[in-house]
Structure formats: structure tokens, C-alpha cells
Amino acid sequence: MCGRYAASRKPEDLVEAFGIERWEPEESLAPDWNVAPTKEVHVVLDRPLKDARDPRPVRQLRVLRWGLVPSWAQNPDGAARMINARSETLAEKPSFRRPFAQRRCIVPADGYYEWVTAHDERQLEVEGKKKRARKQPYFVLPSDGSVFAMAGIYEFWRDRTLPDAHPLAWRVTCSVITTEAETGPLGVAPAEGPRSLSEIHPRMPLMLTPDRWDAWLDPADTDTEGSLRDLLAPPPGGLMRAYPVSTAVSSVRNNGPELLEELAAPEEGTLF
């Protein structure tokens, strides 16, 4: 899954990387090294401009809230439970079916955090007493340091308790698509610990390589059983690296570039 990630690139860098045609500098977000569910996040999407005469889709950098609220939901309370959408069931799930066909986006990141899930019940001997080990967080990112383009979907939700003219009458939310984690060797593996992403967690965000960006963002393509399903295939292996980071990232109250600092080895008392 993907429940926490880092996004520290400046909007100007994202504009250049993705060929953005329209963005609002006043709406830009500050760097965030501990992006958590329900936070506002940058996304890239292709969509005609509002009230524009030209129906041509325009590539935009937008700010959405992470945690998808289906258009038919009675309220937004379940947003935190819909931060991820499984690639295998996108075309079938009522919450994700229409966004998958019509509203796809890219969620840019530096990389994502994942906590070891293997051996959940393993216990450590601490001063003669058995104690359950803490899970070691890892930061996963492209080996070459490029932007990590996570496949996403977005949706519009109308708050019927507010008048049409209210600035918060519409809420736009998104979800990150996940797939099975790579089982092959990492491009750069840590000196100690897991040798593949699947040893950290069985799921990972679906990474879109640059050659898939245009096709994924194209709103004219609604073929969920053909061309779009093909885009859900995981990228080639060996493109990622992972390294242990401080357990400080486990608290959403902590935020800063120090969270990305690579540890020489997993912290004492943690799994792996």
C-alpha cells in the first residue's frame, strides 16, 4: 500500500518535469516530507480549463485532497479509508470505476515510506523480557533520483449542505493506485535487510515511467478493459532503491528533510 510519502520538489520543478501548461502559484504547496492521508497534495492532470471556449485538455498542476470521496457519497467521512485503489479491481469497484475511466492523474513524489510487515508477531528479548519489535520504516525511491510518478485517480464531490456559490461547495479528492510489489532485486539494495520491495510490503504504488504519462492522463481514452488496463502493468524491475530511515517518520507530527536521511542499518529493536 501507500500510506505516507515525501513530496519536496518545488512546483516549478514539477512544471518542467511534466510539461505543465497551467498552474496557480498562489495555490502551490510547501515541501512536505511526511505526506499523510487527508492532506492536500499536488497532482498532475489533463482537463479542459473551466469556462474556456477551447475544449482541448490542458495539462495542469492542481492541489487536491488525498483520500477519494465518491461522487455519490453522503458525506466525506470515509476519505481516509480510500487513499489507495488496487489496480486489480479498479474497473469493478463502484468507488473507482468511473474515475478510472474518466479522471486519471499522476501524484508526484520523491518516494514513499513503507514499514516492514513480515514477521509481525516476532518478539525480541529486551532485558530478559519479551517485547514485540517495532516496524522499521524504509524510504523507497527511483534509483536515479528522478520524480516518482504515482498513478492516481480523482473525483468531484458536492457538499449539498453549502450553497452553489460557496468556495467549498465542491471537494476534489484523489487516490493512489497500488499494485503487487516487485519481487526482483532492488536497483540499489541496503547493506542489511530486505533485498526486494516485496520483502518490505506485498503492495506498492503503481509507478508510471515517463513513456506512459501522456497515455495515462489522456481523458479521451475510456477503454478500461483494453488500453487503460495495459497501463496498469508494473514497470520493469530494478528501477527502485530502498533504505532504512528513522522511526520518527511514524509520527505525522514530525516533518523535515531529516526524515529522508539514510541509516547505515535498521534501528536497534526494529524488524530487519
Side-chain angles (χ1 to χ4, degrees):
M1 62 175 295
C2 174
R4 211 79 65 78
Y5 68 93
S8 66
R9 282 178 168 80
K10 296 179 179 179
E12 293 84 354
D13 295 333
L14 298 177
V15 167
E16 180 177 358
F18 290 98
I20 301 296
E21 300 172 79
R22 180 67 176 268
W23 67 294
E24 302 294 341
E26 64 273 13
E27 296 180 1
S28 298
L29 300 173
D32 193 336
W33 291 270
N34 201 352
V35 182
T38 72
K39 277 189 173 184
E40 290 188 328
V41 298
H42 280 132
V43 307
V44 178
L45 54 85
D46 283 6
R47 187 177 179 84
L49 295 176
K50 185 178 180 181
D51 301 326
R53 294 182 180 180
D54 187 354
R56 180 183 63 91
V58 175
R59 183 152 301 177
Q60 305 174 47
L61 182 65
R62 299 280 297 275
V63 174
L64 277 56
R65 193 170 296 277
W66 186 22
L68 190 137
V69 179
S71 60
W72 41 262
Q74 295 297 313
N75 57 64
D77 294 346
R81 297 193 299 272
M82 292 195 181
I83 60 170
N84 293 158
R86 295 174 67 93
S87 62
E88 298 87 345
T89 55
L90 269 177
E92 290 80 38
K93 294 288 186 180
S95 299
F96 306 135
R97 186 168 53 222
R98 190 165 64 175
F100 176 39
Q102 302 176 357
R103 289 180 282 278
R104 298 176 300 279
C105 63
I106 290 175
V107 184
D110 304 331
Y112 69 98
Y113 300 100
E114 194 57 85
W115 286 254
V116 169
T117 59
H119 314 302
D120 282 349
E121 301 304 318
R122 194 172 88 181
Q123 294 179 326
L124 301 179
E125 194 77 22
V126 180
E127 296 181 354
K129 297 181 180 180
K130 287 185 176 181
K131 183 178 180 181
R132 182 175 295 182
R134 295 173 297 155
K135 293 182 180 181
Q136 173 64 52
Y138 282 78
F139 189 61
V140 184
L141 71 163
S143 299
D144 61 4
S146 61
V147 63
F148 186 75
M150 301 187 292
I153 53 177
Y154 67 99
E155 185 59 287
F156 294 89
W157 180 78
R158 175 69 167 87
D159 188 342
R160 300 297 176 185
T161 66
L162 300 175
D164 290 342
H166 196 285
L168 300 180
W170 286 94
R171 179 177 298 198
V172 192
T173 58
C174 64
S175 183
V176 171
I177 297 172
T178 65
T179 187
E180 291 186 358
E182 295 178 5
T183 58
L186 292 163
V188 179
E192 297 182 32
R195 312 304 292 179
S196 69
L197 293 182
S198 62
E199 290 185 21
I200 300 175
H201 194 280
R203 306 289 297 180
M204 66 175 287
L206 176 61
M207 175 185 176
L208 294 173
T209 50
D211 59 301
R212 298 185 184 185
W213 292 354
D214 290 346
W216 178 255
L217 295 175
D218 182 5
D221 189 351
T222 60
D223 184 9
T224 59
E225 297 301 323
S227 55
L228 293 178
R229 185 174 292 276
D230 293 341
L231 292 173
L232 297 176
L239 299 180
M240 310 298 291
R241 67 169 302 210
Y243 59 81
V245 294
S246 169
T247 53
V249 73
S250 300
S251 172
V252 296
R253 293 189 296 271
N254 297 325
N255 204 320
E258 68 277 2
L259 296 179
L260 299 187
E261 292 180 3
E262 182 173 356
L263 302 182
E267 289 187 352
E268 184 177 354
T270 61
L271 293 177
F272 281 114

